[in-house]
């Protein structure tokens, strides 16, 4: 769901323990299919709590401008708003999403964007958060079709790089906020 970048991993603090085991970002006809499998040196229950605190997602990413629950549905799913500052190379814009978030029976988180209220014509995501010995495993799959202009020649390449960098930045934030056996720190890991 998050598209933009930190200025570099060297400026972000101590070395991260996360591993990105598998990542795939494909572009076709203006849409992106994104998948990754990541392991974090972080407590799974705390990671889940942070990722489902929809009114405070800015703690997980430097690009999140605003996140908030708009409505809780009768089935328990939540309609939420997410605004991010998305930058691809020198091109930056505010990207707006209104999406429904559902916790599935197996614990996976599933999102579906409302295109008429978002800067995406289509966007669905699925997050699996699992406890592992000494940490957390997150598996993510998404299909994202932005309705805003992405330059056709370099745009897809730059979008892929931006998505990769944002995944790494979010991993660092989660490890800082949800240390195994530790207390939840503030946004910058202190």
């Amino acid at each position: 769901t998050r598209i933009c970048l930190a200025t570099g991993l060297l400026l972000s603090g101590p070395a991260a323990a996360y591993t990105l085991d598998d990542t795939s970002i494909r572009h076709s006809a203006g849409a992106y299919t994104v998948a990754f499998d990541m392991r974090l040196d972080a407590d799974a229950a705390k990671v889940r709590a942070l990722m489902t605190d929809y009114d405070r997602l800015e703690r997980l990413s430097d690009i999140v401008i605003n996140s908030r629950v708009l409505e809780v549905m009768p089935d328990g799913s939540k309609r939420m708003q997410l605004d991010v500052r998305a930058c691809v190379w020198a091109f930056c814009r505010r990207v707006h999403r209104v999406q429904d978030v559902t916790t599935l029976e197996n614990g996976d988180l599933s999102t579906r964007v409302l295109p008429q209220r978002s800067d995406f014509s289509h966007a669905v995501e699925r997050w699996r958060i699992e406890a592992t010995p000494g940490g957390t495993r997150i598996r993510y799959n998404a299909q994202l079709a932005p309705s805003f202009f992405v330059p056709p020649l370099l745009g897809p390449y730059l979008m892929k790089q931006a998505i990769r960098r944002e995944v790494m930045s979010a991993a660092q934030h989660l490890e800082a906020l949800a240390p195994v056996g530790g207390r939840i720190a503030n946004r910058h890991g202190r």
Side-chain angles (χ1 to χ4, degrees):
T1 328
R2 295 153 191 115
I3 302 179
C4 207
L5 326 134
T7 56
L9 296 176
L10 294 176
L11 300 176
S12 61
Y18 70 85
T19 58
L20 199 53
D21 295 330
D22 233 348
T23 183
S24 168
I25 302 170
R26 294 188 318 270
H27 174 258
S28 177
Y32 297 84
T33 302
V34 180
F36 64 79
D37 189 343
M38 176 171 45
R39 295 179 191 274
L40 303 172
D41 185 16
D43 180 90
K46 292 175 188 173
V47 166
R48 179 175 289 279
L50 288 162
M51 290 180 64
T52 57
D53 186 358
Y54 303 119
D55 290 320
R56 297 175 58 193
L57 292 178
E58 69 281 353
R59 294 184 303 162
L60 305 183
S61 172
D62 295 330
I63 69 165
V64 175
I65 298 167
N66 177 50
S67 68
R68 65 188 175 110
V69 174
L70 301 173
E71 181 181 356
V72 178
M73 310 301 217
D75 66 358
S77 64
K78 295 178 177 151
R79 180 157 294 162
M80 67 165 292
Q81 174 182 320
L82 179 66
D83 295 302
V84 300
R85 179 164 172 76
C87 297
V88 176
W89 205 21
F91 174 73
C92 292
R93 70 170 284 142
R94 185 179 181 131
V95 177
H96 180 76
R97 287 176 60 160
V98 174
Q99 60 191 12
D100 289 339
V101 184
T102 304
T103 301
L104 304 176
E105 283 187 31
N106 68 354
D108 287 3
L109 304 174
S110 174
T111 71
R112 181 170 302 278
V113 77
L114 281 66
Q116 67 277 17
R117 296 178 63 186
S118 303
D119 290 325
F120 288 84
S121 59
H122 175 78
V124 293
E125 300 170 296
R126 188 159 182 161
W127 298 84
R128 175 164 289 172
I129 305 163
E130 301 172 307
T132 61
T136 303
R137 180 180 186 189
I138 298 176
R139 288 185 278 177
Y140 173 84
N141 291 285
Q143 293 82 43
L144 309 166
S147 56
F148 52 89
F149 177 72
V150 176
L153 295 178
L154 282 179
Y157 171 78
L158 296 173
M159 285 284 285
K160 290 176 186 181
Q161 297 307 310
I163 290 168
R164 279 190 186 99
R165 283 191 295 271
E166 180 52 27
V167 167
M168 292 185 289
S169 175
Q172 289 177 325
H173 281 86
L174 284 166
E175 286 186 337
L177 291 166
V180 175
R183 63 176 175 75
I184 295 180
N186 72 16
R187 177 182 177 140
H188 298 288
R190 293 185 289 268

